[in-house]
């Protein structure tokens, strides 16, 4: 394969690829992202290959393992082209039926289709599924069509045409101006205008500059960048090269979290393939522009997602953030101008160059342009990656796309922005997603993590959870963060264990102010947010824990007790058998009683008691009723005559 | 070397480009409390005690003066209700580790810090980093370093280097505000210094 | 791990001090832990002080300074998994194997760690054993997965 040494050569090669592909030929796309692999996609892919070989259909049907289309909870996901029939939770056992029914007889296998939880209707096409129907998948749409190990798939979808356009028809300043005009704001959390950041680097006098992809994605609950990097790595590479061209940089770095081994593998492969095609390296497409990119893995530190800490890690040191008094786009990696942007930000760049800034500004709101990918997880019916235009309300995301709360539970709060963000309650659900609106409500949009919580989630525990996370992930250099979080964690843990005292909330507020005002970096400055937002909207829960030693969500282990209601227990004996602490006393036709001394609060009895009895209850804030007398424990079953 | 004029606590101060606000204040005889600062070492910005209000172009923000570079027409205030409150809390957080430290005690008097506000912590290291930085930047021996991160961060001597270098040096000992350094050294010496037979 | 293999890894990264973390990651991934001799060799060849290597090896959670068990178990305690009950999965594993998170059993058979997000959030709670991810875990399913690795009940 000779290097493509001009934009014309690229176009010719692209046409060559397309001419060899028949859009009408059936293609079975199986998601091979980390989520579906965990659900068994490898076995499904193997099963398809084996079945197709068995039926002698190799020439008639293509199969490919593709990037993540985001509907991870229903994986393995299979989409059959050209009809776009979407099958969910496919197992190797389903494969022969799919081949014989759908491929051979063009019939749909109903039971594998998405079923609307409310209407019971089946959706055949991916675009009919309520989860997908209300999304606008400008960035993610290609994932299911691309085998990320094959650059030709990306080229077949117009890949690298933006790069060709930028290098041959635009000057570096033209590219910069287009990105500025688009108002693209960083998708990593801070939302800084990308064009302005790029301009600062372009104008800095130092000749050697860097462009960096932040693929650390440390926010727990967020996996948008994983899907993009695994599923469509070339889109990020293309954006990065265009960015390098715009600011005058010849060297790029991609910092990937080591917890994403598949993403590391796929991006490394993509780089090799791009180099082989002449889309990376020296004299790209004959333009005279050189650009090389290097991949660095993270080593398990959330703080390295902070831009200055990331640069310090790239230098081979511990990820300690630096003060931002001199901006890193002027003095960053190795004290040189460095543009660091999030994966999703880079992925938007080729689209802006190809479609124009005006196209981009038509999507979204006044201050937040374009789409945003969210990872909608937690207590929600349709879990997965959701790409929507900025300005859509939280309510629409959670109910129209997410399908609401499962198991008939009540919505309580949605947590956005990861450990830097906050919880948003029901009354604020009509807020529009964007960079500024959520901040006013005490949270932030962040990198896109959106964790839905229901009535069983204790909000004090949520605050404790995030502070606990940060005590471990803090770099430990500055006092307000290291020591402030240490004390906040101790106080919050005490509160969840029933040891809270009057004055705790005020002390937590003082510590919060110190961290917000005096911390070295954004980790410390935003660390109190989960506490402050849960206090703002759920103060009653804090007060119940402190004053009444009661957990309203019936969640905090130290504050709940399990109790078998003698009016409902029919001595089926299941809890007795399953109790790991052997804490239940009972027998045939004898009402069961939990020995509170032996009970470890594991909750097994609560889960296994058959719903038609529902005899196990959780009690908090009041004493457990004493056991009923022995003689009352005998159950006399009514005979059919007496009823 | 261009001159920069800024205002600190109402007083006009002449500074040079590249100077920090702390250095400028010190040159004008204005005192700002510090713990992790040392004139022979690169500024660290860890204790945050030297935090001050800085006003420029109509915006006021809190900055750490040992690191923040001087700007023309910058207006600096070294004391305010908020600054004092933050310094008091920082001191109380550190006193939870080292309630008997003379340096902390003196500062606590000024800011009304209560050494019993927070529950006592086991380790009396306050992570000013003076020992680690002095050994790295001045002595260039790197006999003592940091380990781990977050609330588990500690200082640790490298036994092979410390056993050879420290007994004849110990220049970092007087720098330690809490004497944790000396205690750590003695413990390391007793437990893990390579014996002379190795 | 022999010195030659360590040297090969260092050479692959052009003996660059900025690649220190990448070099240690390669050693950790092959050897499952970072022996002191390996760290000394790396420090020697890259001309980096031991104190910096010591800080890096303890700062980043991917590294282990002690030998790990043959089977490495990771439990995701990210927010999405936490909200769906990851704590109970952790309890189940701790009881089944008899060690707490951060520990290795005496036979060097199992090592248990909590991880702060594997990126499979939609499948929470998530358990990873030897790099293989298991989603939608419950205490019962967890016990089943562990049986494949020979845990006593």
């Amino acid at each position: 394969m000779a290097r493509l040494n001009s934009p014309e050569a690229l176009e010719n090669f692209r046409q060559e690829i397309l001419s060899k592909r028949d859009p009408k030929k059936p293609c079975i796309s199986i998601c091979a992202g980390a989520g579906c692999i965990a659900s068994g996609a490898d076995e499904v892919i193997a099963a398809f290959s084996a079945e197709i070989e068995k039926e002698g259909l190799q020439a008639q049907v293509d199969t490919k393992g593709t990037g993540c289309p985001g509907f991870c909870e229903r994986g393995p996901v299979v989409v059959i082209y050209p009809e776009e029939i979407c099958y969910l939770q496919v197992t190797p056992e389903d494969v022969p039926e799919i081949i014989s029914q759908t491929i051979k007889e063009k019939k749909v296998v109903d039971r594998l289709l998405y079923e609307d939880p409310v209407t019971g209707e089946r959706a055949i096409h991916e675009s009919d599924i309520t989860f997908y129907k209300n999304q606008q998948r400008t960035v993610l749409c290609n994932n299911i069509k691309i085998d990320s190990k094959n650059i030709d798939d990306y080229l077949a979808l117009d890949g690298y045409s933006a790069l060709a356009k930028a290098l041959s028809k635009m000057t570096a300043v033209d590219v910069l101006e287009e990105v500025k005009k688009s108002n693209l704001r960083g998708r990593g959390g801070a939302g800084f205008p990308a064009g302005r950041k790029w301009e600062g680097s372009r104008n800095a006098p130092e000749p050697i500059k860097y462009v960096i992809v932040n693929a650390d994605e440390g926010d727990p609950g967020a996996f948008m960048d994983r899907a993009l990097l695994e599923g469509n790595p070339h889109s990020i590479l293309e954006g990065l090269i265009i960015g390098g061209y715009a600011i005058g940089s010849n060297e790029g770095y991609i910092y990937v979290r080591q917890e994403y081994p598949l993403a590391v593998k796929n991006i490394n492969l993509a780089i090799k393939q791009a180099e082989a095609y002449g889309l990376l390296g020296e004299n790209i497409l004959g333009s005279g522009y050189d650009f090389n990119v290097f991949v660095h893995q993270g080593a398990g530190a959330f703080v390295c997602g902070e831009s200055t800490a990331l640069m310090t890690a790239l230098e081979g040191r511990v990820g300690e953030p630096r003060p931002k008094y001199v901006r890193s786009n002027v003095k960053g990696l190795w004290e040189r101008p460095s543009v660091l942007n999030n994966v999703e930000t880079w992925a938007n760049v080729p689209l802006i160059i190809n479609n124009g800034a005006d196209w981009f500004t038509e999507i979204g709101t006044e201050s937040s342009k374009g789409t945003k990918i969210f990872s909608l997880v937690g207590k929600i019916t349709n879990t997965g990656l959701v790409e929507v235009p900025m300005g859509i309300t939280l309510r629409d995301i959670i109910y129209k796309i997410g399908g609401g709360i499962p198991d008939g539970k009540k919505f309580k709060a949605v947590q956005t922005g990861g450990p830097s963000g906050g919880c948003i309650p029901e009354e604020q659900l009509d807020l529009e997603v964007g960079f500024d609106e959520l901040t006013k409500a005490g949270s932030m949009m962040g990198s896109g993590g959106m964790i839905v919580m229901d009535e069983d989630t204790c909000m004090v525990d949520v605050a404790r959870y995030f502070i606990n996370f940060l005590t471990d992930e803090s770099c430990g250099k500055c006092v307000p963060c290291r020591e402030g979080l240490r004390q906040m964690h101790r106080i919050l843990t005490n509160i969840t264990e029933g040891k809270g005292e009057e004055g705790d909330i005020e002390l937590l507020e003082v510590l919060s102010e110190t961290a917000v005002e005096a911390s070295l970096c954004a980790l410390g400055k935003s660390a109190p947010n989960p506490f402050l937002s849960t206090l703002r909207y759920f103060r009653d829960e804090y007060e119940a824990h402190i004053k009444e030693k009661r957990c309203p969500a019936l969640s905090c282990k130290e504050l709940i007790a399990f109790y078998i209601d003698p009016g409902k227990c029919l001595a089926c004996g299941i809890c007795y058998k399953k109790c790991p602490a052997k804490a239940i006393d009972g027998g045939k036709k004898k009402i069961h009683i939990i020995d509170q001394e032996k009970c470890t609060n594991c909750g097994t009895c609560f889960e296994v008691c058959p719903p038609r009895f529902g005899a196990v209850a959780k009690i908090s804030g009041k004493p457990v009723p004493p056991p009923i007398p022995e003689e009352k424990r005998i159950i006399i079953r009514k005979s059919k005559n007496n009823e | 070397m261009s001159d920069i004029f800024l205002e600190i606590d109402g007083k006009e101060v002449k500074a040079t480009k590249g100077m920090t606000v702390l250095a400028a204040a010190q040159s004008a005889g204005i005192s700002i409390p510090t713990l992790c600062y040392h004139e022979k070492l690169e500024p660290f910005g860890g204790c945050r005690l030297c935090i001050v209000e800085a006003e420029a172009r109509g915006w006021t923000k809190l900055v750490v003066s040992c690191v923040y570079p001087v700007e023309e027409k910058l207006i600096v205030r070294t004391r305010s209700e908020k600054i004092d409150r933050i310094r008091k809390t920082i001191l109380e957080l550190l006193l939870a580790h080292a309630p008997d430290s003379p340096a902390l005690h003196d500062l606590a008097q000024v800011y009304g810090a209560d050494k019993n506000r927070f529950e006592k912590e086991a380790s009396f290291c306050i992570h000013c980093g003076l020992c680690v930085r002095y050994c790295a930047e001045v002595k260039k021996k790197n006999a003592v370093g940091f380990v781990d991160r977050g609330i588990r961060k500690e200082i640790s001597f490298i036994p092979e280097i410390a056993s050879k270098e420290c007994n004849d040096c110990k220049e970092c000992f007087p720098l330690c505000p809490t004497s944790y350094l000396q205690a750590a050294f003695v413990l390391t010496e007793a437990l893990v210094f390579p014996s002379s037979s190795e | 791990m022999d010195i030659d293999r360590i040297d090969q890894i260092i050479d692959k990264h052009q003996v660059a001090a900025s690649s220190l973390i990448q070099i240690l990651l390669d050693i950790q991934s092959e050897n499952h832990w970072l022996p002191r001799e390996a760290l000394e060799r790396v420090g020697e060849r890259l001309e980096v002080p031991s104190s910096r290597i010591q800080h890096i090896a303890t700062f980043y959670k991917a590294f282990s300074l002690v030998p790990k068990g043959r089977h490495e178990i990771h439990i995701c305690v990210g927010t999405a998994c936490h909200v769906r009950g990851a704590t109970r999965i952790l309890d189940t594993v701790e009881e089944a194997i008899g060690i707490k998170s951060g520990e290795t059993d005496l036979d060097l058979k199992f090592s248990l760690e909590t991880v702060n997000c594997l990126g499979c959030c939609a499948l929470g709670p998530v358990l990873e054993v030897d790099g293989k991810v298991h989603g939608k875990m419950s205490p019962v399913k967890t016990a089943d997965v562990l049986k494949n690795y020979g845990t006593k009940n």
Side-chain angles (χ1 to χ4, degrees):
Chain A
M1 169 67 213
R3 296 185 96 218
L4 302 162
N5 50 21
S6 69
E8 293 74 36
L10 172 62
E11 278 319 301
N12 290 340
F13 184 63
R14 193 197 310 287
Q15 293 310 318
E16 227 183 278
I17 295 174
L18 288 170
S19 68
K20 291 196 199 123
R21 292 176 179 215
D22 177 6
K24 289 203 214 64
K25 182 180 182 192
C27 177
I28 305 176
S29 294
I30 307 124
C31 170
C36 286
I37 300 270
S39 299
D42 274 337
E43 288 81 18
V44 173
I45 295 174
F48 270 112
S49 296
E51 186 71 15
I52 286 175
E53 211 183 296
K54 183 168 144 242
E55 299 292 310
L57 292 167
Q58 294 97 308
Q60 283 100 308
V61 184
D62 288 329
T63 55
K64 60 169 126 186
T66 69
C68 172
F71 207 4
C72 312
E73 201 180 26
R74 307 300 178 99
V77 173
V78 173
V79 180
I80 300 180
Y81 291 94
E83 298 91 349
E84 261 190 52
I85 300 172
C86 181
Y87 288 139
L88 303 172
Q89 284 171 309
V90 176
T91 64
E93 290 72 37
D94 296 322
V95 168
E97 195 181 339
I98 295 176
I99 296 290
S100 68
Q101 293 295 303
T102 310
I103 298 296
K104 285 194 174 157
E105 307 213 7
K106 302 289 175 206
K107 278 199 247 176
V108 167
V109 180
D110 257 8
R111 63 185 174 76
L112 294 173
L113 296 174
Y114 174 80
E115 188 186 336
D116 188 296
V118 176
T119 66
E121 259 180 65
R122 297 268 180 193
I124 300 178
H125 308 285
E126 194 188 20
S127 42
D128 293 330
I129 301 178
T130 41
F131 178 70
Y132 285 113
K133 213 161 44 175
N134 297 303
Q135 294 190 38
Q136 188 167 343
R137 309 193 109 219
T138 358
V139 177
L140 273 179
C141 56
N142 286 339
N143 270 25
I144 191 69
K145 299 182 191 148
I146 295 180
D147 173 356
S148 48
K149 297 191 246 327
N150 184 358
I151 185 174
D152 289 356
D153 275 5
Y154 185 64
L155 293 178
L157 292 165
D158 255 1
Y160 288 106
S161 58
L163 178 62
K165 178 177 173 185
L167 292 179
S168 60
K169 299 208 183 70
M170 299 169 82
T171 63
V173 176
D174 288 338
V175 175
L176 177 64
E177 288 302 315
E178 197 70 17
V179 172
K180 270 172 71 183
K181 199 165 140 207
S182 73
N183 248 310
L184 173 68
R185 288 170 71 172
R187 300 298 198 245
F192 193 84
R196 207 166 2 129
K197 190 187 269 192
W198 292 21
E199 191 166 44
S201 278
R202 183 173 175 81
N203 293 341
E206 160 70 51
I208 301 179
K209 304 174 201 224
Y210 303 109
V211 278
I212 306 172
V213 179
N214 184 344
D216 194 51
E217 195 161 58
D219 278 358
F223 62 104
M224 306 71 62
D225 296 346
R226 170 180 77 62
L228 280 173
L229 204 52
E230 274 176 10
N232 195 351
H234 287 284
S235 65
I236 292 134
L237 270 182
E238 190 179 359
L240 188 66
I241 307 170
I242 293 172
Y245 175 63
I247 72 160
S249 153
N250 304 103
E251 207 169 312
Y253 286 88
I254 303 181
Y255 186 92
V256 190
R257 165 184 193 72
Q258 60 96 22
E259 291 89 333
Y260 288 171
L262 188 56
V264 173
K265 193 164 136 210
N266 288 359
I267 190 70
N268 273 317
L269 185 58
I271 289 171
K272 279 209 187 69
Q273 291 183 342
E275 278 169 350
Y277 278 29
L279 296 162
L280 205 55
E282 276 175 39
N283 196 12
I284 296 176
L285 292 176
S287 64
Y289 175 61
D290 302 337
F291 187 81
N292 281 300
V293 67
F294 305 96
V295 175
H296 264 235
Q297 287 188 62
F302 170 78
V303 68
C304 288
E306 197 273 346
S307 57
T308 62
L310 194 157
M311 294 180 201
T312 314
L314 282 175
E315 293 174 9
R317 304 207 301 242
V318 283
E320 278 175 357
R322 306 177 214 171
K324 281 198 161 161
Y325 302 146
V326 182
R327 303 222 73 116
S328 53
N329 62 345
V330 173
K331 268 193 176 359
L333 181 60
W334 304 115
E335 298 289 299
R336 296 182 175 131
S338 312
V339 161
L340 181 144
N341 275 126
N342 173 264
V343 166
E344 197 184 335
T345 315
W346 289 116
N348 270 289
V349 170
L351 299 170
I352 291 171
I353 296 301
N354 262 341
N355 300 323
D358 291 335
W359 161 81
F360 193 74
T361 54
E362 253 153 52
I363 310 167
T365 68
E366 192 53 46
S367 61
S368 307
K369 298 289 177 197
T371 60
K372 178 80 190 80
I373 305 175
F374 291 96
S375 109
L376 187 62
V377 292
K379 306 286 187 80
I380 188 94
T381 307
N382 296 334
T383 308
L385 294 179
V386 169
E387 186 179 351
V388 287
M390 302 272 202
I392 189 175
T393 63
L394 287 167
R395 194 182 298 281
D396 280 349
I397 295 178
I398 293 171
Y399 289 99
K400 268 207 196 131
I401 298 177
I405 319 299
D407 301 330
K409 298 277 183 180
K410 200 163 162 293
F411 171 86
K412 190 167 195 183
V414 59
Q415 205 279 339
T416 64
S420 305
C423 296
I424 294 177
E426 222 268 316
E427 58 264 25
Q428 302 265 34
L429 278 185
D430 292 305
L431 278 174
E432 298 178 345
V433 294
F435 292 104
D436 309 307
E437 292 71 19
L438 295 180
T439 318
K440 288 188 213 126
S443 180
M444 65 189 271
M445 190 169 71
S447 65
M450 202 175 259
I451 298 150
V452 183
M453 300 170 176
D454 67 10
E455 59 194 75
D456 293 336
T457 315
C458 172
M459 303 315 284
V460 182
D461 180 63
V462 167
R464 183 204 61 79
Y465 167 84
F466 280 116
I467 300 285
N468 179 46
F469 174 82
L470 292 171
T471 54
D472 181 38
E473 298 289 353
S474 159
C475 76
K477 182 168 177 182
C478 76
V479 176
C481 175
R482 184 187 73 243
E483 300 300 334
L485 292 180
R486 193 199 301 268
Q487 298 298 342
M488 283 183 81
H489 182 244
R490 166 180 282 149
I491 298 171
L492 284 166
T493 305
N494 281 343
I495 295 177
T496 57
E497 289 178 355
K499 299 185 205 144
E501 289 171 6
E502 282 297 326
D504 276 352
I505 294 181
E506 290 68 29
L507 196 49
L508 287 167
E509 284 175 315
V510 165
L511 290 167
S512 298
E513 183 196 33
T514 309
V516 167
E517 299 287 351
S519 289
L520 169 64
C521 78
L523 187 153
K525 283 183 198 281
S526 62
N529 283 352
F531 161 68
L532 291 170
S533 75
T534 49
L535 184 67
R536 175 170 165 181
Y537 297 115
F538 301 97
R539 196 183 182 108
D540 54 305
E541 290 201 30
Y542 281 91
E543 304 208 325
H545 279 74
I546 295 173
K547 296 186 182 147
E548 301 166 56
K549 312 298 179 216
R550 176 175 68 91
C551 175
L554 298 172
S555 161
C556 292
K557 244 170 119 165
E558 312 286 330
L559 296 181
I560 56 173
F562 290 86
Y563 173 69
I564 298 175
D565 184 341
K568 293 189 182 157
C569 174
L570 286 176
C572 69
I574 296 180
C575 64
Y576 172 79
K577 284 191 214 105
K578 296 276 185 186
C579 174
K582 306 262 182 285
I584 300 184
D585 177 78
K588 251 193 167 141
K589 293 197 189 171
K590 191 171 177 197
I591 290 177
H592 285 40
I593 294 183
I594 297 173
D595 181 345
Q596 297 296 328
E597 305 285 305
K598 292 194 188 146
C599 175
T600 60
N601 280 359
C602 71
T604 305
C605 56
F606 184 76
E607 278 183 23
V608 301
C609 179
R612 65 184 185 281
F613 306 140
V616 180
K618 284 196 261 194
I619 300 181
S620 182
K622 47 185 196 232
V624 178
I628 56 174
E630 274 303 303
E631 58 274 14
K632 294 245 171 81
R633 287 178 68 184
I634 311 295
I635 299 172
I636 304 162
R637 292 207 200 281
K638 301 193 181 80
S639 71
K640 287 228 161 76
N641 296 338
N642 291 352
E643 283 189 73
Chain B
M1 288 261 244
S2 42
D3 284 342
I4 292 185
F5 290 90
L6 62 154
E7 184 192 302
I8 306 180
D9 288 344
K11 193 171 157 187
E12 201 193 38
V13 176
K14 186 167 96 168
T16 49
K17 193 166 192 282
M19 237 178 161
T20 61
V21 168
L22 178 68
Q26 284 173 340
S27 76
I30 299 172
S31 108
I32 300 179
T34 62
L35 258 182
C36 69
Y37 171 79
H38 191 284
E39 70 268 7
K40 287 202 188 137
L41 303 173
E42 289 295 314
F44 193 56
C47 71
R48 320 303 279 177
L49 266 182
C50 64
I51 200 164
V52 296
E53 259 177 36
E55 191 188 322
R57 295 178 291 280
W59 291 98
T60 305
K61 55 186 178 180
L62 286 174
V63 301
V64 161
S65 57
C66 67
V67 173
Y68 196 78
V70 292
E71 281 169 32
E72 186 66 37
K73 295 217 198 80
L74 191 67
I75 302 172
V76 176
R77 286 176 283 275
T78 66
R79 298 288 293 262
S80 78
E81 221 183 284
K82 189 186 250 188
I83 291 176
D84 282 16
R85 198 165 55 233
I86 292 174
R87 287 190 188 151
K88 172 175 179 285
T89 309
I90 290 175
L91 289 165
E92 283 164 347
L93 286 168
L94 295 176
L95 284 162
H97 285 272
D100 301 322
S101 153
L104 290 178
H105 178 260
D106 293 342
L107 285 165
Q109 301 273 38
V110 176
Y111 291 94
D114 169 14
K115 69 177 178 182
N116 293 314
R117 191 166 192 197
F118 296 109
E119 243 180 81
K120 295 286 172 287
E121 289 292 328
S123 158
F124 50 108
C125 178
I126 59 171
H127 289 289
C128 62
L130 288 168
C131 54
V132 174
R133 292 148 60 208
Y134 189 88
C135 197
E137 293 174 38
V138 175
K139 301 308 290 186
K140 303 206 200 292
K141 298 284 181 198
N142 295 287
V144 60
F146 288 118
V147 288
D148 218 324
R149 69 184 190 210
I151 62 176
R152 289 187 317 270
K153 192 172 183 189
E154 283 178 30
I155 58 163
S156 166
F157 282 91
I158 312 281
E160 296 76 20
I161 303 175
S163 58
K164 287 200 205 87
E165 309 282 348
C166 293
N167 275 316
D168 294 330
C169 175
K170 292 192 177 164
E171 284 175 38
C172 59
F173 279 27
L175 298 175
C176 177
T178 68
S179 309
Y180 180 82
L181 176 67
Q182 292 87 316
F185 178 77
V186 168
L187 201 59
T188 312
E189 187 179 39
L191 293 177
V192 291
F193 267 21
S195 71
S196 47
S197 57
E198 274 187 56
Chain C
M1 202 179 193
D2 63 30
I3 296 287
D4 288 330
R5 184 65 197 124
I6 296 172
D7 279 339
Q8 269 175 10
I9 292 173
I10 296 172
D11 292 329
K12 186 176 97 178
H13 289 275
Q14 284 93 44
V15 201
S18 60
S19 295
L20 175 55
I21 297 171
Q22 307 306 301
I23 292 169
L24 293 178
L25 278 169
D26 279 351
I27 299 174
Q28 170 75 34
S29 137
E30 265 184 50
N31 200 47
H32 296 286
W33 68 293
L34 299 177
R36 206 176 61 152
E37 298 73 39
L39 296 179
E40 280 170 5
R41 184 68 176 164
V42 171
E44 212 181 291
R45 291 205 56 206
L46 294 181
E47 291 175 21
V48 165
S50 314
S51 57
R52 178 166 142 198
I53 301 202
Q54 177 181 256
H55 196 187
I56 286 173
T58 52
F59 181 95
Y60 291 105
K61 297 307 142 194
F63 302 130
S64 174
L65 293 176
V66 293
K68 289 259 162 188
R70 282 188 298 289
H71 301 295
E72 288 189 37
I73 304 175
H74 297 150
I75 297 182
C76 181
V77 290
T79 324
C81 292
H82 175 81
V83 155
R84 286 197 186 173
T87 323
R88 292 192 58 200
I89 310 298
L90 181 60
D91 289 343
T92 310
V93 176
E94 285 180 341
E95 252 207 65
I97 303 182
I99 56 175
K100 293 240 168 277
S101 155
E103 295 176 359
T104 300
D105 70 350
L106 289 172
D107 301 323
L108 285 185
K109 188 168 178 197
F110 291 110
S111 281
L112 179 59
E113 297 278 350
T114 54
V115 204
N116 272 330
C117 191
L118 293 167
C120 296
C121 318
L123 298 168
V126 169
L127 174 70
E128 186 187 45
V129 187
D130 294 339
K132 185 164 161 41
V133 175
H134 302 266
K136 300 190 192 167
M137 282 287 113
S138 67
V140 172
K141 279 198 212 158
T142 307
D144 284 340
V145 167
L146 292 178
K147 268 197 219 117
N148 291 336
Y149 298 91
T151 49
K152 311 180 263 297
N153 242 3

